[in-house]
Amino acid sequence: MSLLTHLLSCLFGLGSWVSINGLWVELPLLVPQIPEGWYLPSYLSVLIQMANVGPLFVTLMHRFRPGVLNEVAVVYAVIAVGTVASFLLGFFWKETVVVGGARRSVALLVLTFFLATVDCTSSVTFLPFMMRLQPRYLTSYFVGEGVSGLLPAVVALIQGVGVVRCINGTQLLNRTSNATTFDLQAQYQPPNFSAEEFFFFLSAMMLVCLLAFLLLNHHPSVARQNPSRSYTNGVKQEAQRGRKWAEQKPMMEPCGQRKPRSSFGSGSYSWLQVSYILGLLAWANALTNVVLPSVQSYSCLPYGNNAYHLSASLAAVSNPLACFIAMFLPNRSLVLLGVLTAAGSAVGGFIMAMAVLSPCPLLVHDSAGAVLIVSSWFLFVLLLSYVKVMIGLILRDEGHGALVCCGAVVQLGSLLGAAAMFPLVSVFGFFQSGDPCNTWCP
């Protein structure tokens, strides 16, 4: 195995979601300086889902005009747009324009739409490109994809984003007991470096992704690692080799009776199994990409600001950790993947319950509550990330079209999750946020 190819695959995967993940972790610094305020996260959710027009176009082209899109050229264009948009954000994110009699951050919203289009489209372009490399490098790509969430979080932590100091606010007098109390107020501390520099960092990460992609295409040692197959614009010309793990596939049919195989990919799975695999993938991505992240602050802030930041950091760490586990302990059993998905969903259900109970969840005044919520976030992301990686490996062996389908299902799951959560969070105000400095619960 080539360590260089593993490293380049990882750096290539880094560019998949680093821009949007970076924008999310920078929100506490952006929100006080723009007219949209804390409505910005809602706008971002809508923009990200609108950006699914990119993967929709690519998927339809692969379905109805296979071979027309030049896969390599599309990836170059996607990375270039992401690099330029991140760079321009460093200059224009605070600029406002009067729209409908009110000031709006038009530049920020437009550039965010381009970034979201880039990241969403990467699901149906980066993954199929990895079909050109040997299967073991796909896990390295998923490690990079996980790091695309971890790295911005670490940089934002160094920057000091979201660091809160509780100060004495309004002095209150309890007339019945003549006791004087103080209302603590959360005061965000100034960052160690500006948002402009953070956006330039994101642009640099996209340049690193571009360089990795260049080397994956042209470096001689990478070429020697490529399987002996030929591709034209991502369309496979040669039949796939036999798989060593074929005997490991679980028999879902009762009494070992073989069902007719489907026309999906190489035809190794029945349509029932294909539906099962894609259903798990859509469900896992809906939970990890949208549903639970949209209520993370509600589930964690009642336990304190430290619990919130620790849960976010460990959740970001657990994603690449799951990729490493999948690299050394792969298991393609569909039954096991279903069990892991059910376990991760149960943990996610607990997190959602704590968000619903906010600002007074279980054990809110006990340090055990903070430990429980942080551990839950870590385990939730770890379990479902492992499932996503293993499904990606399964679909990779089913062929190029299966990987395109994989990316489309990832975006579909995220879209359905956003459609379910946006009204609850942003329209009806179903959740109530906890105060990192004041928690009054019986």
Side-chain angles (χ1 to χ4, degrees):
M1 293 190 298
S2 169
L3 291 179
L4 174 63
T5 309
H6 277 294
L7 177 61
L8 293 177
S9 299
C10 183
L11 293 177
F12 178 52
L14 174 65
S16 58
W17 283 94
V18 69
S19 299
I20 289 299
N21 287 333
L23 194 60
W24 279 111
V25 300
E26 196 72 359
L27 282 181
L29 188 58
L30 304 182
V31 163
Q33 304 182 58
I34 59 174
E36 287 79 9
W38 279 108
Y39 286 105
L40 180 61
S42 300
Y43 296 156
L44 293 185
S45 299
V46 174
L47 288 173
I48 291 172
Q49 301 316 314
M50 291 173 58
N52 279 303
V53 65
L56 177 62
F57 170 76
V58 173
T59 303
L60 291 177
M61 288 296 291
H62 277 291
R63 175 64 179 85
F64 297 106
R65 299 294 299 275
V68 172
L69 282 181
N70 187 314
E71 190 172 77
V72 174
V74 171
V75 174
Y76 276 125
V78 165
I79 300 175
V81 171
T83 303
V84 173
S86 300
F87 186 75
L88 292 177
L89 270 177
F91 293 100
F92 300 110
W93 71 271
K94 286 194 292 187
E95 300 298 324
T96 58
V97 177
V98 177
V99 179
R103 289 205 164 270
R104 301 294 181 191
S105 302
V106 175
L108 173 63
L109 296 177
V110 170
L111 291 173
T112 297
F113 174 75
F114 280 108
L115 288 180
T117 303
V118 166
D119 290 0
C120 290
T121 308
S122 70
S123 297
V124 293
T125 53
F126 287 21
L127 271 175
F129 171 80
M130 293 302 297
M131 188 71 191
R132 298 172 177 236
L133 305 179
Q134 294 182 14
R136 54 176 172 260
Y137 298 120
L138 184 60
T139 306
S140 299
Y141 169 85
F142 281 122
V143 171
E145 193 175 75
V147 174
S148 72
L150 173 62
L151 187 59
V154 172
V155 174
L157 189 63
I158 298 172
Q159 185 185 16
V161 171
V163 175
V164 174
R165 185 178 67 178
C166 298
I167 61 174
N168 287 332
T170 306
Q171 186 175 8
L172 302 175
L173 180 64
N174 189 325
R175 295 183 178 179
T176 59
S177 60
N178 292 326
T180 302
T181 60
F182 291 92
D183 179 27
L184 294 178
Q185 294 182 351
Q187 183 182 72
Y188 287 95
Q189 301 302 293
N192 296 320
F193 54 88
S194 66
E196 289 82 359
E197 294 171 295
F198 184 83
F199 287 129
F200 294 149
F201 160 76
L202 294 182
S203 182
M205 291 300 98
M206 292 302 298
L207 282 176
V208 169
C209 174
L210 177 60
L211 178 60
F213 185 62
L214 279 168
L215 293 176
L216 283 174
N217 276 287
H218 302 293
H219 198 282
S221 68
V222 176
R224 288 193 296 269
Q225 292 291 323
N226 287 353
S228 57
R229 304 167 181 173
S230 59
Y231 292 85
T232 303
N233 292 344
V235 180
K236 187 172 64 175
Q237 304 295 327
E238 186 177 317
Q240 292 185 333
R241 296 178 178 178
R243 303 173 186 84
K244 296 180 180 179
W245 51 268
E247 67 277 2
Q248 299 176 3
K249 291 181 180 179
M251 299 299 295
M252 297 182 63
E253 302 84 0
C255 302
Q257 181 182 357
R258 295 179 60 86
K259 291 185 177 181
R261 293 300 168 181
S262 68
S263 58
F264 180 83
S266 65
S268 301
Y269 292 98
S270 68
W271 279 117
L272 175 61
Q273 292 171 317
V274 171
S275 301
Y276 173 77
I277 292 170
L278 296 182
L280 289 184
L281 183 64
W283 176 257
N285 278 280
L287 292 184
T288 56
N289 294 352
V290 180
V291 175
L292 270 300
S294 65
V295 298
Q296 186 169 27
S297 61
Y298 301 104
S299 66
C300 299
L301 272 181
Y303 297 101
N305 195 59
N306 289 335
Y308 173 68
H309 282 283
L310 191 58
S311 65
S313 300
L314 288 181
V317 169
S318 62
N319 193 321
L321 177 60
C323 297
F324 278 113
I325 294 174
M327 183 180 296
F328 297 105
L329 296 173
N331 193 315
R332 302 170 189 264
S333 167
L334 300 187
V335 175
L336 176 64
L337 295 181
V339 171
L340 293 179
T341 302
S345 301
V347 177
F350 170 79
I351 295 173
M352 180 63 72
M354 296 305 100
V356 171
L357 293 174
S358 177
C360 297
L362 298 177
L363 302 173
V364 67
H365 295 300
D366 195 328
S367 59
V371 173
L372 186 59
I373 196 66
V374 170
S375 302
S376 297
W377 269 101
F378 176 80
L379 187 60
F380 163 73
V381 177
L382 182 71
L383 291 173
L384 293 186
S385 294
Y386 181 87
V387 171
K388 291 191 293 183
V389 172
M390 293 312 305
I391 290 178
L393 294 177
I394 289 173
L395 295 180
R396 191 266 177 224
D397 287 314
E398 290 304 298
H400 179 274
L403 275 184
V404 175
C405 183
C406 174
V409 170
V410 166
Q411 295 306 124
L412 176 63
S414 300
L415 176 62
L416 294 177
M421 293 306 298
F422 181 78
L424 296 177
V425 176
S426 303
V427 178
F428 300 111
F430 187 75
F431 299 91
Q432 298 181 20
S433 181
D435 191 319
C437 294
N438 301 284
T439 302
W440 294 282
C441 295

